[in-house]
Protein backbone atom coordinates (compact mmCIF):
# COMPACT_ATOMS: atom_id res chain seq x y z
CA UNK A 1 0.00 0.00 0.00
CA UNK A 2 0.98 3.69 0.05
CA UNK A 3 2.84 3.29 3.37
CA UNK A 4 5.00 0.49 2.00
CA UNK A 5 3.30 -2.33 3.90
CA UNK A 6 2.93 -5.53 1.92
CA UNK A 7 0.56 -8.44 2.34
CA UNK A 8 -1.12 -11.18 0.38
CA UNK A 9 -4.65 -12.39 -0.19
CA UNK A 10 -5.41 -16.09 -0.67
CA UNK A 11 -8.35 -16.49 -3.05
CA UNK A 12 -8.32 -20.29 -2.96
CA UNK A 13 -11.90 -21.57 -2.77
CA UNK A 14 -13.50 -18.19 -3.44
CA UNK A 15 -16.57 -18.73 -5.63
CA UNK A 16 -18.36 -15.41 -5.87
CA UNK A 17 -17.53 -11.76 -6.39
CA UNK A 18 -18.53 -11.10 -2.80
CA UNK A 19 -15.99 -13.72 -1.67
CA UNK A 20 -13.21 -11.88 -3.54
CA UNK A 21 -14.12 -8.45 -2.17
CA UNK A 22 -14.58 -9.68 1.41
CA UNK A 23 -11.22 -11.49 1.42
CA UNK A 24 -9.40 -8.35 0.24
CA UNK A 25 -11.09 -6.17 2.85
CA UNK A 26 -10.66 -8.73 5.66
CA UNK A 27 -6.90 -8.98 4.98
CA UNK A 28 -6.35 -5.54 6.63
CA UNK A 29 -3.94 -4.36 3.94
CA UNK A 30 -4.83 -0.66 4.08
CA UNK A 31 -7.05 -0.89 0.99
CA UNK A 32 -10.79 -1.10 0.38
CA UNK A 33 -12.27 -3.22 -2.38
CA UNK A 34 -15.72 -2.63 -3.89
CA UNK A 35 -17.79 -3.03 -7.04
CA UNK A 36 -16.89 -0.45 -9.69
CA UNK A 37 -19.23 2.48 -10.26
CA UNK A 38 -20.40 0.85 -13.48
CA UNK A 39 -21.17 -2.37 -11.59
CA UNK A 40 -19.08 -4.49 -13.95
CA UNK A 41 -15.84 -5.19 -12.06
CA UNK A 42 -13.73 -4.63 -8.94
CA UNK A 43 -12.27 -1.31 -7.74
CA UNK A 44 -9.56 -0.96 -5.07
CA UNK A 45 -8.73 2.24 -3.19
CA UNK A 46 -5.66 2.82 -0.99
CA UNK A 47 -6.81 4.13 2.42
CA UNK A 48 -3.50 3.72 4.29
CA UNK A 49 -2.73 7.44 4.04
CA UNK A 50 0.88 7.10 2.88
CA UNK A 51 2.73 8.94 0.11
CA UNK A 52 3.78 5.96 -1.94
CA UNK A 53 2.10 4.19 -4.80
CA UNK A 54 -0.36 1.33 -4.59
CA UNK A 55 1.04 -1.83 -6.17
CA UNK A 56 -0.85 -5.03 -6.91
CA UNK A 57 0.95 -8.07 -8.36
CA UNK A 58 0.52 -11.78 -8.86
CA UNK A 59 3.06 -13.51 -6.53
CA UNK A 60 6.13 -15.23 -7.92
CA UNK A 61 8.68 -17.62 -6.45
CA UNK A 62 12.09 -18.52 -7.87
CA UNK A 63 12.74 -19.24 -10.60
CA UNK A 64 10.04 -16.72 -11.50
CA UNK A 65 7.21 -19.24 -11.49
CA UNK A 66 3.82 -17.56 -10.92
CA UNK A 67 1.76 -18.74 -7.97
CA UNK A 68 -1.35 -17.15 -9.45
CA UNK A 69 -2.70 -14.97 -12.22
CA UNK A 70 -5.92 -13.75 -10.60
CA UNK A 71 -4.82 -10.14 -10.13
CA UNK A 72 -4.10 -9.89 -13.84
CA UNK A 73 -7.33 -11.62 -14.77
CA UNK A 74 -9.28 -9.19 -12.57
CA UNK A 75 -7.58 -6.21 -14.24
CA UNK A 76 -5.98 -5.14 -10.95
CA UNK A 77 -2.29 -5.89 -11.50
CA UNK A 78 -0.09 -2.79 -11.76
CA UNK A 79 1.34 0.25 -9.96
CA UNK A 80 -0.98 3.19 -9.23
CA UNK A 81 0.42 6.51 -8.03
CA UNK A 82 -3.05 7.91 -7.34
CA UNK A 83 -3.89 5.01 -5.02
CA UNK A 84 -6.96 3.92 -6.96
CA UNK A 85 -7.54 1.19 -9.52
CA UNK A 86 -10.62 0.30 -11.55
CA UNK A 87 -10.33 -3.25 -12.82
CA UNK A 88 -12.74 -2.57 -15.70
CA UNK A 89 -15.47 -4.86 -16.96
CA UNK A 90 -15.06 -8.53 -16.15
CA UNK A 91 -17.66 -9.72 -18.64
CA UNK A 92 -20.14 -10.84 -16.00
CA UNK A 93 -22.72 -13.31 -17.23
CA UNK A 94 -26.04 -11.66 -16.36
CA UNK A 95 -28.08 -13.63 -18.89
CA UNK A 96 -28.78 -17.32 -18.26
CA UNK A 97 -31.51 -19.88 -18.73
CA UNK A 98 -33.05 -18.96 -15.40
CA UNK A 99 -33.34 -15.24 -16.25
CA UNK A 100 -36.96 -14.11 -16.14
CA UNK A 101 -38.36 -12.35 -19.18
CA UNK A 102 -40.04 -9.61 -17.14
CA UNK A 103 -36.77 -8.58 -15.46
CA UNK A 104 -35.09 -8.37 -18.88
CA UNK A 105 -37.89 -6.25 -20.37
CA UNK A 106 -38.83 -8.95 -22.90
CA UNK A 107 -42.42 -9.02 -24.11
CA UNK A 108 -44.19 -12.38 -24.17
CA UNK A 109 -45.46 -12.39 -27.74
CA UNK A 110 -45.10 -14.22 -31.05
CA UNK A 111 -42.56 -14.10 -33.88
CA UNK A 112 -41.81 -16.05 -37.06
CA UNK A 113 -38.55 -17.82 -37.97
CA UNK A 114 -37.58 -18.98 -41.47
CA UNK A 115 -34.47 -21.19 -41.55
CA UNK A 116 -31.87 -21.44 -44.31
CA UNK A 117 -33.74 -24.42 -45.81
CA UNK A 118 -36.77 -22.20 -46.41
CA UNK A 119 -38.94 -23.73 -43.69
CA UNK A 120 -40.78 -21.40 -41.35
CA UNK A 121 -42.61 -21.70 -38.04
CA UNK A 122 -44.18 -19.51 -35.39
CA UNK A 123 -42.62 -19.14 -31.95
CA UNK A 124 -45.41 -18.48 -29.43
CA UNK A 125 -44.45 -17.30 -25.94
CA UNK A 126 -47.98 -16.24 -24.96
CA UNK A 127 -49.14 -19.68 -23.86
CA UNK A 128 -48.25 -21.73 -20.83
CA UNK A 129 -45.58 -20.66 -18.36
CA UNK A 130 -42.89 -19.28 -20.69
CA UNK A 131 -41.39 -16.99 -18.07
CA UNK A 132 -37.65 -17.67 -18.38
CA UNK A 133 -34.99 -17.78 -21.07
CA UNK A 134 -35.00 -21.57 -20.77
CA UNK A 135 -38.65 -21.56 -21.84
CA UNK A 136 -37.78 -19.36 -24.82
CA UNK A 137 -34.95 -21.66 -25.92
CA UNK A 138 -37.19 -24.69 -25.55
CA UNK A 139 -39.96 -23.11 -27.64
CA UNK A 140 -37.56 -22.10 -30.44
CA UNK A 141 -35.84 -25.49 -30.56
CA UNK A 142 -39.16 -27.35 -30.62
CA UNK A 143 -40.33 -25.81 -33.89
CA UNK A 144 -38.62 -28.43 -36.08
CA UNK A 145 -36.38 -25.91 -37.85
CA UNK A 146 -32.76 -26.35 -38.87
CA UNK A 147 -31.54 -24.07 -36.07
CA UNK A 148 -30.32 -24.36 -32.48
CA UNK A 149 -30.92 -21.67 -29.87
CA UNK A 150 -28.71 -21.39 -26.79
CA UNK A 151 -27.08 -18.86 -24.46
CA UNK A 152 -24.17 -17.17 -26.23
CA UNK A 153 -20.59 -17.67 -25.06
CA UNK A 154 -20.40 -14.25 -23.39
CA UNK A 155 -23.54 -14.86 -21.34
CA UNK A 156 -25.29 -11.71 -22.50
CA UNK A 157 -27.93 -12.96 -24.93
CA UNK A 158 -29.39 -15.70 -27.12
CA UNK A 159 -27.38 -17.27 -29.94
CA UNK A 160 -29.27 -18.89 -32.83
CA UNK A 161 -27.06 -21.27 -34.83
CA UNK A 162 -27.80 -22.24 -38.44
CA UNK A 163 -27.86 -26.04 -38.78
CA UNK A 164 -29.35 -26.14 -42.28
CA UNK A 165 -27.68 -26.65 -45.59
CA UNK A 166 -29.79 -24.28 -47.66
CA UNK A 167 -28.94 -20.93 -49.16
CA UNK A 168 -32.07 -19.05 -48.09
CA UNK A 169 -31.61 -16.07 -45.79
CA UNK A 170 -32.66 -16.71 -42.20
CA UNK A 171 -35.52 -14.35 -41.44
CA UNK A 172 -36.97 -13.53 -38.02
CA UNK A 173 -40.05 -11.29 -38.09
CA UNK A 174 -42.50 -10.01 -35.50
CA UNK A 175 -46.04 -11.36 -35.35
CA UNK A 176 -48.00 -8.67 -33.54
CA UNK A 177 -45.48 -8.03 -30.75
CA UNK A 178 -41.94 -6.76 -30.06
CA UNK A 179 -40.58 -10.05 -28.71
CA UNK A 180 -38.00 -10.68 -31.46
CA UNK A 181 -36.73 -7.12 -31.13
CA UNK A 182 -36.58 -7.44 -27.33
CA UNK A 183 -34.53 -10.63 -27.72
CA UNK A 184 -32.20 -8.87 -30.16
CA UNK A 185 -32.80 -11.37 -32.99
CA UNK A 186 -35.14 -9.40 -35.27
CA UNK A 187 -34.04 -9.13 -38.91
CA UNK A 188 -32.72 -11.00 -41.96
CA UNK A 189 -29.40 -12.84 -41.78
CA UNK A 190 -27.30 -14.69 -44.41
CA UNK A 191 -27.46 -18.48 -44.43
CA UNK A 192 -24.64 -20.03 -42.45
CA UNK A 193 -24.33 -17.09 -40.04
CA UNK A 194 -25.09 -17.32 -36.33
CA UNK A 195 -27.53 -14.76 -34.96
CA UNK A 196 -26.17 -13.27 -31.74
CA UNK A 197 -28.84 -11.41 -29.80
CA UNK A 198 -26.29 -9.97 -27.39
CA UNK A 199 -27.60 -7.48 -24.87
CA UNK A 200 -24.21 -5.76 -24.66
CA UNK A 201 -21.88 -4.20 -27.17
CA UNK A 202 -18.51 -2.46 -27.16
CA UNK A 203 -18.29 0.97 -28.81
CA UNK A 204 -14.86 1.89 -30.15
CA UNK A 205 -13.92 5.47 -29.33
CA UNK A 206 -11.15 7.18 -31.33
CA UNK A 207 -9.19 10.38 -30.77
CA UNK A 208 -11.31 12.24 -33.32
CA UNK A 209 -14.68 11.29 -31.79
CA UNK A 210 -16.93 13.99 -30.34
CA UNK A 211 -19.93 13.65 -28.06
CA UNK A 212 -22.14 13.91 -31.15
CA UNK A 213 -20.30 11.16 -33.07
CA UNK A 214 -20.26 8.99 -29.95
CA UNK A 215 -24.04 9.42 -29.60
CA UNK A 216 -24.42 8.38 -33.23
CA UNK A 217 -22.34 5.23 -32.67
CA UNK A 218 -24.43 4.26 -29.66
CA UNK A 219 -27.71 4.82 -31.50
CA UNK A 220 -26.48 2.89 -34.55
CA UNK A 221 -25.65 -0.08 -32.30
CA UNK A 222 -29.39 -0.52 -31.61
CA UNK A 223 -28.98 -2.05 -28.16
CA UNK A 224 -32.06 -0.43 -26.65
CA UNK A 225 -30.24 2.69 -25.45
CA UNK A 226 -30.91 6.15 -26.88
CA UNK A 227 -28.05 8.65 -26.83
CA UNK A 228 -28.32 12.44 -27.22
CA UNK A 229 -26.10 15.46 -26.60
CA UNK A 230 -27.63 18.00 -24.23
CA UNK A 231 -26.52 21.36 -22.80
CA UNK A 232 -26.97 22.05 -19.10
CA UNK A 233 -26.58 25.80 -19.65
CA UNK A 234 -23.09 26.16 -18.17
CA UNK A 235 -21.39 29.22 -19.76
CA UNK A 236 -18.74 28.28 -22.29
CA UNK A 237 -19.73 24.65 -22.53
CA UNK A 238 -22.05 22.44 -20.54
CA UNK A 239 -22.42 19.78 -23.23
CA UNK A 240 -23.15 16.31 -21.89
CA UNK A 241 -23.89 12.87 -23.29
CA UNK A 242 -27.30 11.72 -22.07
CA UNK A 243 -28.22 8.02 -22.27
CA UNK A 244 -31.70 6.62 -21.68
CA UNK A 245 -33.29 3.21 -22.12
CA UNK A 246 -36.00 2.75 -24.74
CA UNK A 247 -37.87 0.49 -22.29
CA UNK A 248 -39.74 1.64 -19.21
CA UNK A 249 -39.52 0.10 -15.76
CA UNK A 250 -37.00 -2.25 -14.20
CA UNK A 251 -36.65 -4.11 -17.50
CA UNK A 252 -35.10 -0.96 -18.99
CA UNK A 253 -32.03 -1.03 -16.72
CA UNK A 254 -28.66 -1.03 -18.46
CA UNK A 255 -25.01 -0.92 -17.47
CA UNK A 256 -22.45 1.54 -18.85
CA UNK A 257 -18.70 1.18 -18.46
CA UNK A 258 -16.50 3.88 -20.02
CA UNK A 259 -13.33 1.67 -19.89
CA UNK A 260 -11.36 4.47 -18.27
CA UNK A 261 -12.43 7.28 -20.64
CA UNK A 262 -13.23 9.46 -17.65
CA UNK A 263 -16.78 10.34 -18.70
CA UNK A 264 -17.70 11.05 -15.05
CA UNK A 265 -20.85 8.95 -15.28
CA UNK A 266 -23.77 10.09 -13.13
CA UNK A 267 -27.03 8.13 -12.73
CA UNK A 268 -29.95 10.54 -12.99
CA UNK A 269 -32.83 8.08 -12.74
CA UNK A 270 -32.82 4.49 -11.52
CA UNK A 271 -34.71 1.93 -13.57
CA UNK A 272 -37.59 0.68 -11.46
CA UNK A 273 -41.19 -0.36 -11.75
CA UNK A 274 -44.11 1.61 -10.40
CA UNK A 275 -45.49 0.01 -7.23
CA UNK A 276 -48.90 0.54 -5.62
CA UNK A 277 -50.96 -1.30 -3.02
CA UNK A 278 -54.57 -2.09 -3.85
CA UNK A 279 -56.88 -2.53 -0.88
CA UNK A 280 -57.00 -1.16 2.65
CA UNK A 281 -54.88 1.27 4.62
CA UNK A 282 -52.43 -1.42 5.73
CA UNK A 283 -50.09 -2.61 2.93
CA UNK A 284 -49.78 -5.94 4.71
CA UNK A 285 -53.43 -6.60 3.96
CA UNK A 286 -53.34 -5.20 0.42
CA UNK A 287 -52.43 -6.48 -3.01
CA UNK A 288 -49.05 -5.40 -4.34
CA UNK A 289 -49.33 -4.19 -7.95
CA UNK A 290 -46.36 -3.35 -10.17
CA UNK A 291 -46.13 -1.80 -13.63
CA UNK A 292 -43.28 -1.06 -16.02
CA UNK A 293 -44.73 2.41 -16.60
CA UNK A 294 -46.70 4.92 -14.53
CA UNK A 295 -49.89 3.65 -16.16
CA UNK A 296 -52.04 0.90 -14.72
CA UNK A 297 -54.31 -0.80 -17.25
CA UNK A 298 -56.69 -3.56 -16.24
CA UNK A 299 -56.48 -2.94 -12.49
CA UNK A 300 -60.00 -1.55 -12.67
CA UNK A 301 -62.02 -3.01 -15.58
CA UNK A 302 -62.50 -0.44 -18.33
CA UNK A 303 -60.25 2.17 -16.69
CA UNK A 304 -56.64 3.29 -17.14
CA UNK A 305 -55.01 4.86 -14.10
CA UNK A 306 -52.07 7.28 -14.45
CA UNK A 307 -49.70 7.47 -11.49
CA UNK A 308 -48.52 11.09 -11.17
CA UNK A 309 -46.75 11.15 -7.79
CA UNK A 310 -45.94 9.04 -4.75
CA UNK A 311 -48.05 8.97 -1.63
CA UNK A 312 -47.72 7.42 1.81
CA UNK A 313 -51.43 7.92 2.48
CA UNK A 314 -54.20 5.91 0.80
CA UNK A 315 -55.67 7.44 -2.37
CA UNK A 316 -59.29 6.92 -3.31
CA UNK A 317 -60.16 7.07 -6.99
CA UNK A 318 -63.65 7.92 -8.20
CA UNK A 319 -64.38 6.69 -11.72
CA UNK A 320 -67.15 8.31 -13.76
CA UNK A 321 -68.29 8.42 -17.34
CA UNK A 322 -65.98 10.18 -19.79
CA UNK A 323 -68.62 12.25 -21.56
CA UNK A 324 -66.06 13.91 -23.82
CA UNK A 325 -64.74 10.54 -25.02
CA UNK A 326 -68.28 9.30 -25.68
CA UNK A 327 -69.30 12.38 -27.69
CA UNK A 328 -66.01 12.18 -29.59
CA UNK A 329 -66.62 8.52 -30.44
CA UNK A 330 -70.16 9.29 -31.64
CA UNK A 331 -68.77 12.13 -33.77
CA UNK A 332 -66.21 9.74 -35.29
CA UNK A 333 -68.99 7.26 -36.04
CA UNK A 334 -71.03 9.94 -37.83
CA UNK A 335 -67.99 11.10 -39.84
CA UNK A 336 -67.18 7.53 -40.90
CA UNK A 337 -70.79 6.88 -41.89
CA UNK A 338 -70.95 10.06 -43.98
CA UNK A 339 -67.65 9.16 -45.62
CA UNK A 340 -69.12 5.81 -46.62
CA UNK A 341 -72.19 7.50 -48.11
CA UNK A 342 -69.96 9.90 -50.06
CA UNK A 343 -68.06 6.96 -51.53
CA UNK A 344 -71.28 5.13 -52.47
CA UNK A 345 -72.65 8.30 -54.10
CA UNK A 346 -69.41 8.76 -56.02
CA UNK A 347 -69.82 5.37 -57.71
CA UNK A 348 -73.59 5.62 -58.17
CA UNK A 349 -73.94 9.10 -59.70
CA UNK A 350 -74.61 10.92 -62.97
CA UNK A 351 -73.47 14.43 -63.90
CA UNK A 352 -76.03 15.87 -66.32
CA UNK A 353 -73.70 18.70 -67.34
CA UNK A 354 -70.58 16.66 -68.10
CA UNK A 355 -72.52 13.48 -68.98
CA UNK A 356 -70.15 11.55 -66.69
CA UNK A 357 -71.47 8.35 -65.14
CA UNK A 358 -70.34 6.71 -61.93
CA UNK A 359 -68.62 3.37 -62.34
CA UNK A 360 -71.51 1.54 -60.65
CA UNK A 361 -74.42 3.71 -61.78
CA UNK A 362 -77.61 1.66 -61.79
CA UNK A 363 -76.00 -1.37 -60.20
CA UNK A 364 -78.64 -3.06 -58.04
CA UNK A 365 -76.12 -4.20 -55.41
CA UNK A 366 -75.15 -0.60 -54.64
CA UNK A 367 -78.78 0.23 -53.95
CA UNK A 368 -79.17 -2.79 -51.69
CA UNK A 369 -76.09 -1.83 -49.68
CA UNK A 370 -77.32 1.75 -49.28
CA UNK A 371 -80.77 0.58 -48.19
CA UNK A 372 -79.40 -1.93 -45.67
CA UNK A 373 -77.14 0.67 -44.06
CA UNK A 374 -79.90 3.28 -43.73
CA UNK A 375 -82.28 0.67 -42.30
CA UNK A 376 -79.70 -0.18 -39.64
CA UNK A 377 -79.28 3.41 -38.43
CA UNK A 378 -82.82 4.75 -38.84
CA UNK A 379 -85.05 2.05 -37.36
CA UNK A 380 -85.92 1.29 -33.75
CA UNK A 381 -84.19 -1.59 -32.05
CA UNK A 382 -86.82 -3.77 -30.42
CA UNK A 383 -84.20 -5.88 -28.64
CA UNK A 384 -83.18 -3.04 -26.31
CA UNK A 385 -85.12 -2.69 -23.08
CA UNK A 386 -83.55 0.58 -21.89
CA UNK A 387 -84.68 4.16 -22.32
CA UNK A 388 -83.18 4.54 -25.80
CA UNK A 389 -83.77 2.28 -28.80
CA UNK A 390 -83.00 4.60 -31.74
CA UNK A 391 -80.18 6.94 -32.72
CA UNK A 392 -82.60 9.84 -33.13
CA UNK A 393 -83.33 9.69 -29.38
CA UNK A 394 -79.71 10.56 -28.60
CA UNK A 395 -79.37 13.30 -31.23
CA UNK A 396 -78.05 11.34 -34.21
CA UNK A 397 -80.36 11.98 -37.15
CA UNK A 398 -80.44 11.89 -40.96
CA UNK A 399 -80.17 15.44 -42.28
CA UNK A 400 -79.53 17.27 -45.53
CA UNK A 401 -78.13 15.16 -48.33
CA UNK A 402 -79.03 11.97 -46.44
CA UNK A 403 -76.03 12.60 -44.15
CA UNK A 404 -75.99 11.97 -40.41
CA UNK A 405 -75.81 14.92 -38.02
CA UNK A 406 -75.21 15.10 -34.26
CA UNK A 407 -77.17 17.30 -31.87
CA UNK A 408 -74.50 17.66 -29.17
CA UNK A 409 -76.89 19.10 -26.58
CA UNK A 410 -79.35 16.24 -27.03
CA UNK A 411 -76.52 13.69 -26.86
CA UNK A 412 -75.16 15.19 -23.62
CA UNK A 413 -78.68 15.30 -22.16
CA UNK A 414 -79.10 11.61 -22.98
CA UNK A 415 -75.77 10.80 -21.34
CA UNK A 416 -76.80 12.74 -18.27
CA UNK A 417 -80.17 10.98 -18.05
CA UNK A 418 -79.09 7.40 -18.80
CA UNK A 419 -75.41 6.80 -19.66
CA UNK A 420 -75.89 3.01 -19.58
CA UNK A 421 -78.80 3.33 -22.02
CA UNK A 422 -76.62 5.30 -24.47
CA UNK A 423 -73.86 2.71 -24.14
CA UNK A 424 -76.29 -0.16 -24.73
CA UNK A 425 -77.74 1.61 -27.78
CA UNK A 426 -74.36 1.28 -29.48
CA UNK A 427 -72.59 -1.70 -27.91
CA UNK A 428 -75.11 -3.99 -26.18
CA UNK A 429 -75.01 -7.65 -27.17
CA UNK A 430 -76.75 -10.63 -25.62
CA UNK A 431 -75.88 -14.13 -26.81
CA UNK A 432 -77.62 -17.46 -26.37
CA UNK A 433 -76.02 -19.47 -23.55
CA UNK A 434 -75.28 -23.14 -24.14
CA UNK A 435 -77.18 -24.96 -21.34
CA UNK A 436 -74.61 -27.75 -21.21
CA UNK A 437 -71.38 -25.73 -21.06
CA UNK A 438 -72.75 -22.47 -19.68
CA UNK A 439 -70.73 -20.58 -22.32
CA UNK A 440 -71.98 -18.04 -24.84
CA UNK A 441 -72.75 -19.26 -28.33
CA UNK A 442 -72.58 -17.21 -31.52
CA UNK A 443 -76.38 -16.89 -31.69
CA UNK A 444 -77.53 -13.34 -30.88
CA UNK A 445 -80.68 -12.65 -28.85
CA UNK A 446 -80.44 -8.87 -28.80
CA UNK A 447 -77.88 -6.27 -29.85
CA UNK A 448 -77.36 -2.53 -29.99
CA UNK A 449 -77.31 -0.51 -33.19
CA UNK A 450 -73.52 -0.32 -33.18
CA UNK A 451 -73.20 -4.10 -32.96
CA UNK A 452 -75.95 -4.45 -35.58
CA UNK A 453 -73.95 -2.25 -37.97
CA UNK A 454 -70.80 -4.28 -37.20
CA UNK A 455 -72.58 -7.50 -38.11
CA UNK A 456 -74.08 -5.90 -41.22
CA UNK A 457 -70.67 -4.74 -42.45
CA UNK A 458 -69.21 -8.17 -41.74
CA UNK A 459 -71.94 -9.77 -43.87
CA UNK A 460 -71.54 -7.22 -46.68
CA UNK A 461 -67.76 -7.59 -46.81
CA UNK A 462 -67.55 -11.33 -46.15
CA UNK A 463 -64.85 -12.63 -48.47
CA UNK A 464 -66.66 -15.96 -48.76
CA UNK A 465 -70.11 -15.39 -50.20
CA UNK A 466 -70.81 -11.81 -49.08
CA UNK A 467 -72.93 -9.67 -51.45
CA UNK A 468 -70.04 -7.37 -52.34
CA UNK A 469 -67.80 -10.34 -52.99
CA UNK A 470 -70.51 -11.98 -55.12
CA UNK A 471 -71.08 -8.78 -57.10
CA UNK A 472 -67.34 -8.38 -57.54
CA UNK A 473 -67.20 -11.93 -58.89
CA UNK A 474 -70.07 -11.17 -61.29
CA UNK A 475 -68.34 -8.04 -62.54
CA UNK A 476 -65.09 -9.93 -62.93
CA UNK A 477 -66.93 -12.65 -64.87
CA UNK A 478 -68.42 -10.00 -67.14
CA UNK A 479 -65.00 -8.45 -67.65
CA UNK A 480 -63.53 -11.85 -68.48
CA UNK A 481 -66.40 -12.54 -70.91
CA UNK A 482 -65.99 -9.15 -72.58
CA UNK A 483 -62.27 -9.75 -72.83
CA UNK A 484 -62.90 -13.07 -74.58
CA UNK A 485 -65.36 -11.37 -76.93
CA UNK A 486 -62.84 -8.65 -77.74
CA UNK A 487 -60.21 -11.27 -78.38
CA UNK A 488 -62.64 -13.15 -80.67
CA UNK A 489 -63.49 -9.95 -82.57
CA UNK A 490 -59.78 -9.17 -82.85
CA UNK A 491 -59.14 -12.62 -84.33
CA UNK A 492 -62.05 -12.16 -86.79
CA UNK A 493 -60.69 -8.78 -87.85
CA UNK A 494 -57.20 -10.21 -88.28
CA UNK A 495 -58.57 -13.09 -90.37
CA UNK A 496 -60.62 -10.71 -92.53
CA UNK A 497 -57.66 -8.38 -92.88
CA UNK A 498 -55.47 -11.25 -94.03
CA UNK A 499 -58.14 -12.41 -96.51
CA UNK A 500 -58.62 -8.90 -97.95
CA UNK A 501 -54.87 -8.40 -98.24
CA UNK A 502 -54.63 -11.70 -100.16
CA UNK A 503 -57.51 -10.75 -102.44
CA UNK A 504 -55.91 -7.34 -103.01
CA UNK A 505 -52.60 -8.97 -103.96
CA UNK A 506 -54.39 -11.36 -106.34
CA UNK A 507 -56.23 -8.42 -107.91
CA UNK A 508 -52.98 -6.55 -108.43
CA UNK A 509 -51.48 -9.59 -110.13
CA UNK A 510 -54.52 -9.89 -112.44
CA UNK A 511 -54.33 -6.21 -113.34
CA UNK A 512 -50.62 -6.53 -114.02
CA UNK A 513 -51.32 -9.47 -116.37
CA UNK A 514 -54.02 -7.47 -118.25
CA UNK A 515 -51.61 -4.59 -118.59
CA UNK A 516 -49.01 -6.93 -120.10
CA UNK A 517 -51.58 -8.29 -122.58
CA UNK A 518 -52.67 -4.76 -123.53
CA UNK A 519 -49.06 -3.84 -124.17
CA UNK A 520 -48.60 -6.87 -126.43
CA UNK A 521 -51.75 -6.01 -128.44
CA UNK A 522 -50.57 -2.45 -128.88
CA UNK A 523 -47.25 -3.73 -130.19
CA UNK A 524 -48.94 -6.02 -132.78
CA UNK A 525 -51.21 -3.24 -133.95
CA UNK A 526 -48.30 -0.92 -134.50
CA UNK A 527 -46.37 -3.53 -136.54
CA UNK A 528 -49.26 -3.87 -139.08
Amino acid sequence: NSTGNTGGVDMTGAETLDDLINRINDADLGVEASITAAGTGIAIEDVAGGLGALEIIDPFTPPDQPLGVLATQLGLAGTYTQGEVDGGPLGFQFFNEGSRLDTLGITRGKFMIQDSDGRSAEVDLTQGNEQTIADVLGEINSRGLAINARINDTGDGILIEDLGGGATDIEIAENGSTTARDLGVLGTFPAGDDINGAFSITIEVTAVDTLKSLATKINDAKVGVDAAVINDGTPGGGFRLNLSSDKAGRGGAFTLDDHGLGLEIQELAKAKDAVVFLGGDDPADSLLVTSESNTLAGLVPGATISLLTTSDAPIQIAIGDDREAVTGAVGDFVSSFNGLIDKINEFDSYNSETKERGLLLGDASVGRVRTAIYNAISGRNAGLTGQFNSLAQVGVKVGKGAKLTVDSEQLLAALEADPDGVRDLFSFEQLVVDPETGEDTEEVIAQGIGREIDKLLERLTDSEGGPLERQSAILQSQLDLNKKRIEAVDRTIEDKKARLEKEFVDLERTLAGLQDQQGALNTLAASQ
Side-chain angles (χ1 to χ4, degrees), residues 441-461:
T441 65
E442 295 183 358
E443 184 178 352
V444 178
I445 299 176
Q447 61 186 1
I449 292 176
R451 294 295 300 148
E452 184 179 346
I453 293 175
D454 280 345
K455 297 293 179 63
L456 171 62
L457 295 179
E458 288 176 4
R459 291 195 301 272
L460 292 176
T461 59

Side-chain angles (χ1 to χ4, degrees), residues 239-258:
F239 292 99
R240 298 174 180 268
L241 182 66
N242 186 66
L243 304 180
S244 59
S245 174
D246 64 1
K247 298 185 181 71
R250 187 174 57 164
F254 64 90
T255 298
L256 172 67
D257 195 313
D258 69 357

Side-chain angles (χ1 to χ4, degrees), residues 292-338:
E292 292 182 349
S293 68
N294 288 330
T295 300
L296 302 177
L299 186 60
V300 177
T304 299
I305 300 174
S306 296
L307 306 176
L308 304 180
T309 186
T310 59
S311 174
D312 294 328
I315 299 296
Q316 291 188 353
I317 300 175
I319 298 178
D321 296 315
D322 190 343
R323 305 291 167 79
E324 183 177 346
V326 174
T327 55
V330 173
D332 291 341
F333 163 73
V334 169
S335 297
S336 297
F337 179 88
N338 291 338

Side-chain angles (χ1 to χ4, degrees), residues 275-289:
V275 179
V276 296
F277 291 98
L278 175 65
D281 295 348
D282 186 358
D285 298 327
S286 303
L287 174 66
L288 177 65
V289 180

Side-chain angles (χ1 to χ4, degrees), residues 31-74:
V31 297
E32 288 185 356
S34 63
I35 299 291
T36 60
T40 60
I42 296 178
I44 294 183
E45 179 182 4
D46 190 308
V47 294
L51 301 178
L54 169 65
E55 185 176 7
I56 303 175
I57 63 171
D58 287 311
F60 285 80
T61 58
D64 296 332
Q65 293 296 318
L67 293 178
V69 293
L70 188 56
T72 300
Q73 291 175 338
L74 294 175

Side-chain angles (χ1 to χ4, degrees), residues 216-233:
T216 299
K217 288 183 176 181
I218 294 174
N219 291 330
D220 290 345
K222 293 180 172 53
V223 290
V225 176
D226 298 322
V229 178
I230 62 175
N231 192 332
D232 65 9

Side-chain angles (χ1 to χ4, degrees), residues 186-242:
L186 179 66
T188 302
F189 310 90
D193 284 2
D194 291 337
I195 303 167
N196 191 357
F199 275 59
S200 63
I201 193 169
T202 300
I203 304 294
E204 182 180 356
V205 183
T206 66
V208 297
D209 270 318
T210 63
L211 289 182
K212 184 176 181 180
S213 65
L214 184 54
T216 299
K217 288 183 176 181
I218 294 174
N219 291 330
D220 290 345
K222 293 180 172 53
V223 290
V225 176
D226 298 322
V229 178
I230 62 175
N231 192 332
D232 65 9
T234 302
F239 292 99
R240 298 174 180 268
L241 182 66
N242 186 66

